[in-house]
Amino acid sequence: MRNVIILGGNGYVGRELTAQWLAHDPGAEFWIVCRSGKNCVNNPRVHVIEANARDVKTVESLLPQDAQFAAIVDLVGDTQNMARNVQAAKCMLALAKRHSIPRLGYVAGCAGNARYRRTKRSIVKHLHAYDPNMTIINPSIIYGNGRNDSLVKLVPVFEKVSKVFPCLAPRTVEDVASELIAGLSPLGI
Protein backbone atom coordinates (compact mmCIF):
# COMPACT_ATOMS: atom_id res chain seq x y z
CA MET A 1 0.00 0.00 0.00
CA ARG A 2 1.37 3.40 -1.03
CA ASN A 3 0.28 6.13 1.35
CA VAL A 4 0.07 9.70 0.07
CA ILE A 5 -0.43 12.88 2.13
CA ILE A 6 -2.15 15.80 0.39
CA LEU A 7 -2.09 19.14 2.21
CA GLY A 8 -5.06 21.24 1.10
CA GLY A 9 -6.41 18.20 -0.68
CA ASN A 10 -10.12 19.02 -0.61
CA GLY A 11 -9.71 21.99 -2.92
CA TYR A 12 -10.14 22.25 -6.66
CA VAL A 13 -6.82 20.63 -7.64
CA GLY A 14 -6.84 18.20 -4.71
CA ARG A 15 -10.16 16.63 -5.64
CA GLU A 16 -9.01 16.08 -9.23
CA LEU A 17 -5.60 14.79 -8.13
CA THR A 18 -7.12 12.29 -5.73
CA ALA A 19 -9.76 11.08 -8.20
CA GLN A 20 -7.21 10.55 -10.98
CA TRP A 21 -4.69 8.86 -8.70
CA LEU A 22 -7.34 6.52 -7.29
CA ALA A 23 -8.30 5.53 -10.83
CA HIS A 24 -4.79 4.72 -11.98
CA ASP A 25 -3.20 3.25 -8.83
CA PRO A 26 -5.21 0.62 -6.95
CA GLY A 27 -2.48 0.38 -4.33
CA ALA A 28 -2.60 4.02 -3.24
CA GLU A 29 -4.25 5.27 -0.07
CA PHE A 30 -4.71 8.98 0.63
CA TRP A 31 -4.52 11.11 3.75
CA ILE A 32 -6.22 14.42 2.89
CA VAL A 33 -5.43 17.26 5.29
CA CYS A 34 -8.07 19.99 5.26
CA ARG A 35 -9.65 22.43 7.68
CA SER A 36 -13.24 21.42 6.96
CA GLY A 37 -12.85 17.72 7.64
CA LYS A 38 -15.29 17.01 4.83
CA ASN A 39 -14.55 14.15 2.47
CA CYS A 40 -15.05 15.46 -1.06
CA VAL A 41 -13.88 12.20 -2.68
CA ASN A 42 -15.97 9.33 -1.37
CA ASN A 43 -13.73 6.27 -1.42
CA PRO A 44 -12.60 3.86 1.32
CA ARG A 45 -8.97 4.57 0.39
CA VAL A 46 -9.40 8.30 1.13
CA HIS A 47 -8.98 9.38 4.76
CA VAL A 48 -9.63 12.95 5.80
CA ILE A 49 -7.65 14.59 8.55
CA GLU A 50 -9.45 17.63 9.91
CA ALA A 51 -6.55 19.94 10.62
CA ASN A 52 -4.89 23.07 9.43
CA ALA A 53 -2.33 22.06 6.78
CA ARG A 54 0.08 24.54 8.40
CA ASP A 55 0.01 22.88 11.83
CA VAL A 56 2.64 20.16 11.63
CA LYS A 57 2.16 18.96 15.23
CA THR A 58 -1.57 18.41 14.81
CA VAL A 59 -1.20 16.81 11.38
CA GLU A 60 1.56 14.55 12.72
CA SER A 61 -0.60 13.46 15.66
CA LEU A 62 -3.49 12.50 13.34
CA LEU A 63 -1.48 10.49 10.81
CA PRO A 64 -1.39 6.71 11.27
CA GLN A 65 1.62 5.91 13.45
CA ASP A 66 2.76 2.79 11.61
CA ALA A 67 2.33 4.02 8.02
CA GLN A 68 5.09 4.68 5.56
CA PHE A 69 4.39 7.42 3.08
CA ALA A 70 5.40 7.34 -0.58
CA ALA A 71 4.58 10.97 -1.40
CA ILE A 72 3.42 14.27 0.02
CA VAL A 73 1.86 17.13 -1.94
CA ASP A 74 1.31 20.76 -0.89
CA LEU A 75 -1.67 22.29 -2.69
CA VAL A 76 -2.17 25.26 -0.35
CA GLY A 77 -2.39 28.44 -2.39
CA ASP A 78 -3.62 31.49 -0.54
CA THR A 79 -3.39 34.67 -2.63
CA GLN A 80 -4.13 36.97 0.32
CA ASN A 81 -2.21 35.53 3.29
CA MET A 82 1.36 34.68 2.25
CA ALA A 83 2.20 33.24 5.67
CA ARG A 84 -0.26 30.39 5.01
CA ASN A 85 1.67 29.37 1.89
CA VAL A 86 5.02 29.47 3.72
CA GLN A 87 3.72 27.58 6.76
CA ALA A 88 2.13 24.83 4.64
CA ALA A 89 5.41 24.35 2.75
CA LYS A 90 7.29 24.16 6.07
CA CYS A 91 4.77 21.57 7.28
CA MET A 92 5.32 19.53 4.11
CA LEU A 93 9.10 19.61 4.57
CA ALA A 94 8.87 18.72 8.26
CA LEU A 95 6.62 15.74 7.52
CA ALA A 96 8.85 14.66 4.61
CA LYS A 97 11.90 14.70 6.88
CA ARG A 98 10.23 12.96 9.84
CA HIS A 99 8.74 10.21 7.71
CA SER A 100 11.51 9.95 5.10
CA ILE A 101 8.99 10.59 2.33
CA PRO A 102 10.82 10.11 -0.98
CA ARG A 103 8.54 12.10 -3.33
CA LEU A 104 7.38 15.68 -2.84
CA GLY A 105 5.00 17.70 -5.00
CA TYR A 106 4.12 21.37 -5.00
CA VAL A 107 1.84 23.63 -7.03
CA ALA A 108 3.46 27.07 -7.18
CA GLY A 109 1.88 29.58 -9.53
CA CYS A 110 3.30 32.15 -11.91
CA ALA A 111 0.34 34.53 -11.98
CA GLY A 112 -1.21 36.68 -9.31
CA ASN A 113 -0.12 39.73 -7.40
CA ALA A 114 3.60 40.46 -7.04
CA ARG A 115 3.73 39.45 -3.38
CA TYR A 116 2.12 36.08 -4.12
CA ARG A 117 4.53 35.37 -6.99
CA ARG A 118 7.56 36.36 -4.86
CA THR A 119 6.40 34.16 -2.01
CA LYS A 120 5.81 31.17 -4.26
CA ARG A 121 9.23 31.64 -5.95
CA SER A 122 10.91 31.79 -2.55
CA ILE A 123 9.14 28.60 -1.45
CA VAL A 124 10.19 26.83 -4.65
CA LYS A 125 13.81 27.88 -4.05
CA HIS A 126 13.73 26.40 -0.52
CA LEU A 127 11.99 23.25 -1.67
CA HIS A 128 14.58 22.73 -4.42
CA ALA A 129 17.33 23.11 -1.81
CA TYR A 130 15.79 20.17 0.07
CA ASP A 131 15.00 18.04 -2.99
CA PRO A 132 16.14 19.27 -6.42
CA ASN A 133 14.14 16.48 -8.09
CA MET A 134 10.78 17.23 -6.53
CA THR A 135 7.74 17.70 -8.76
CA ILE A 136 6.79 21.37 -9.05
CA ILE A 137 3.94 22.58 -11.23
CA ASN A 138 3.95 26.31 -11.98
CA PRO A 139 0.68 27.19 -13.75
CA SER A 140 -0.73 30.63 -14.45
CA ILE A 141 -4.47 29.88 -14.35
CA ILE A 142 -5.91 26.44 -13.65
CA TYR A 143 -9.29 25.90 -15.28
CA GLY A 144 -11.74 23.23 -16.41
CA ASN A 145 -13.85 20.60 -14.66
CA GLY A 146 -16.66 23.00 -13.84
CA ARG A 147 -14.62 25.95 -12.62
CA ASN A 148 -16.56 29.09 -13.45
CA ASP A 149 -15.21 32.13 -11.63
CA SER A 150 -13.75 35.46 -12.74
CA LEU A 151 -10.29 33.96 -13.41
CA VAL A 152 -11.69 31.54 -15.97
CA LYS A 153 -12.73 34.52 -18.07
CA LEU A 154 -9.03 35.41 -18.36
CA VAL A 155 -8.07 32.06 -19.93
CA PRO A 156 -8.35 33.37 -23.54
CA VAL A 157 -6.14 36.34 -22.65
CA PHE A 158 -3.51 34.10 -21.05
CA GLU A 159 -3.63 31.76 -24.06
CA LYS A 160 -2.77 34.70 -26.35
CA VAL A 161 -0.06 36.04 -24.03
CA SER A 162 1.44 32.56 -23.70
CA LYS A 163 2.36 32.64 -27.40
CA VAL A 164 5.00 35.19 -26.43
CA PHE A 165 5.52 34.04 -22.83
CA PRO A 166 4.95 30.25 -22.81
CA CYS A 167 5.30 30.05 -19.03
CA LEU A 168 1.97 31.90 -18.70
CA ALA A 169 -0.05 29.26 -20.53
CA PRO A 170 -3.23 28.35 -18.64
CA ARG A 171 -3.50 24.70 -17.64
CA THR A 172 -6.50 22.45 -17.16
CA VAL A 173 -6.94 20.97 -13.72
CA GLU A 174 -6.88 17.53 -15.35
CA ASP A 175 -3.44 18.23 -16.85
CA VAL A 176 -2.06 19.64 -13.58
CA ALA A 177 -3.23 16.55 -11.66
CA SER A 178 -1.90 14.22 -14.34
CA GLU A 179 1.51 15.89 -14.30
CA LEU A 180 1.70 15.68 -10.50
CA ILE A 181 0.86 11.98 -10.58
CA ALA A 182 3.42 11.30 -13.30
CA GLY A 183 6.11 12.95 -11.19
CA LEU A 184 5.09 11.46 -7.85
CA SER A 185 3.77 8.00 -8.53
CA PRO A 186 6.16 5.07 -8.84
CA LEU A 187 3.81 3.80 -11.56
CA GLY A 188 3.57 7.06 -13.50
CA ILE A 189 0.62 7.48 -15.83
Side-chain angles (χ1 to χ4, degrees):
M1 187 67 65
R2 284 172 295 285
N3 292 298
V4 177
I5 301 169
I6 303 178
L7 303 175
N10 259 352
Y12 178 61
V13 176
R15 290 187 308 268
E16 180 68 26
L17 175 64
T18 305
Q20 277 191 36
W21 208 329
L22 282 166
H24 107 274
D25 186 354
E29 196 153 334
F30 299 88
W31 302 91
I32 307 296
V33 179
C34 67
R35 290 179 299 209
S36 72
K38 295 179 183 175
N39 187 354
C40 291
V41 178
N42 189 15
N43 187 292
R45 293 188 288 143
V46 176
H47 312 280
V48 177
I49 294 175
E50 185 176 354
N52 189 322
R54 299 169 288 143
D55 183 353
V56 70
K57 288 181 183 179
T58 301
V59 173
E60 178 76 32
S61 72
L62 296 171
L63 288 171
Q65 298 302 311
D66 57 345
Q68 290 187 320
F69 296 95
I72 184 168
V73 183
D74 176 3
L75 298 177
V76 175
D78 191 317
T79 59
Q80 302 303 311
N81 185 335
M82 298 311 116
R84 289 181 180 157
N85 299 310
V86 172
Q87 292 163 345
K90 286 181 178 180
C91 180
M92 177 177 69
L93 284 178
L95 292 170
K97 290 174 184 177
R98 289 181 190 170
H99 292 274
S100 300
I101 301 173
R103 291 186 169 93
L104 285 75
Y106 184 69
V107 174
C110 64
N113 66 55
R115 190 166 170 236
Y116 177 77
R117 292 190 322 270
R118 274 194 313 272
T119 300
K120 288 291 195 167
R121 279 194 308 267
S122 175
I123 291 169
V124 166
K125 181 180 174 184
H126 288 346
L127 293 175
H128 269 298
Y130 175 75
D131 180 2
N133 298 314
M134 74 178 297
T135 301
I136 296 176
I137 312 297
N138 201 23
S140 59
I141 296 174
I142 302 173
Y143 69 99
N145 199 12
R147 183 174 182 178
N148 191 20
D149 60 15
S150 60
L151 283 178
V152 174
K153 294 175 184 168
L154 294 175
V155 168
V157 173
F158 274 81
E159 285 175 339
K160 288 179 183 176
V161 170
S162 70
K163 291 178 179 164
V164 177
F165 301 103
C167 63
L168 293 177
R171 306 274 306 277
T172 67
V173 69
E174 295 88 355
D175 287 346
V176 169
S178 179
E179 191 174 333
L180 278 167
I181 294 166
L184 296 171
S185 174
L187 300 176
I189 284 190

